[in-house]
Amino acid sequence: MKKPAGHSNDHLENSLGYLLHRAAHIIAATFGDELKADDIPLSVWRVLATLNDRDHQSLSELASHTGAELSYLSRTVAQAEERGFVIRSAQPGDKRATSVSITPAGRAIVRKFSPLTQTLQKQWLADIPDADVEATFRTLRAVYRNAVAGASPSSPVNRKITVARRVNKRATLKADSH
C-alpha cells in the first residue's frame, strides 16, 4: 500500500530504539500475563531469572542485569523476599553491602516458567533463520555494550547508565584479575 505524500513513518521502522521498545513491550506484556496466574509480577520474575543465572548479586548488579531502577528494585527484592524467593545477606568483606541470592522456592518458580519462556521465544522467533537469530543476539549484546560505553559522561547523570557502567567496570576488573 502506498503512503500518502508527506506522511511517512519509515524513520520509525528503521529506528533501533523504537523497534526494540515495541518488541520488548509486547514480549513483556505477553509473559507478564502468563505470570499473573501465579501472582508473580514480571519485575520479580526478572530478579529470579537473573539470580538463577548469576546468584549472589549486589543490588547494583541486579539493577544493571534487570534494567530496573535501584529504588524500584529494592521494593521488588523485598516482595520476592517476603514470598521466600530470595534472601539478602551481608557481602563478605563489606558488611554494609547487601548480596541477594535465590532460594530453592525461587528456583522452583524459574523451573516452572522456563518451559513457557522457551515456547514463547520459539514463537517470537518463528520463521527467522537460525543464523539471523544468532546474529541478532550478538548484535543486541554489542548494541548494549556500545550504548553503555558511548553514553555521554557530561550529560545529566542517569542512574541506569551509572549503575551499568559500574557493574561493567567491576566485571572487567574481576575478569582481568583471574
Side-chain angles (χ1 to χ4, degrees):
M1 176 189 288
K2 191 172 181 179
K3 295 178 189 158
H7 290 22
S8 172
N9 70 350
D10 282 347
H11 65 283
L12 290 178
E13 290 301 318
N14 291 302
S15 167
L16 180 63
Y18 174 77
L19 292 172
L20 286 174
H21 179 76
R22 274 182 67 201
H25 186 75
I26 295 301
I27 287 169
T30 301
F31 188 57
D33 284 349
E34 297 290 340
L35 292 168
K36 284 180 185 175
D38 283 53
D39 194 30
I40 307 288
L42 185 59
S43 58
V44 169
W45 167 260
R46 287 180 176 140
V47 166
L48 296 178
T50 299
L51 289 172
N52 193 61
D53 271 2
R54 298 180 189 142
D55 205 5
H56 312 293
Q57 293 189 44
S58 69
L59 285 175
S60 290
E61 290 167 329
L62 264 177
S64 179
H65 294 138
T66 62
E69 293 283 344
L70 270 171
S71 58
Y72 295 116
L73 181 65
S74 293
R75 287 191 289 270
T76 299
V77 168
Q79 273 184 305
E81 190 173 34
E82 287 171 14
R83 302 231 358 227
F85 299 150
V86 301
I87 55 171
R88 289 188 254 197
S89 57
Q91 285 190 353
D94 186 354
K95 300 298 180 201
R96 295 170 297 156
T98 301
S99 178
V100 182
S101 303
I102 192 168
T103 65
R107 287 195 195 281
I109 293 297
V110 173
R111 273 193 311 277
K112 177 178 181 175
F113 284 98
S114 286
L116 177 61
T117 64
Q118 292 167 6
T119 298
L120 289 172
Q121 182 161 304
K122 284 179 187 172
Q123 176 186 327
W124 298 326
L125 297 172
D127 302 323
I128 301 172
D130 290 346
D132 289 353
V133 171
E134 291 170 20
T136 298
F137 284 129
R138 261 193 327 275
T139 301
L140 289 173
R141 287 188 290 270
V143 166
Y144 177 80
R145 284 190 308 273
N146 293 342
V148 170
S152 173
S154 62
S155 65
V157 176
N158 179 303
R159 187 75 177 131
K160 284 184 180 182
I161 295 169
T162 302
V163 168
R165 282 186 179 142
R166 187 179 316 129
V167 169
N168 284 352
K169 185 176 181 180
R170 279 191 211 135
T172 302
L173 290 172
K174 191 182 282 185
D176 289 347
S177 68
H178 286 75

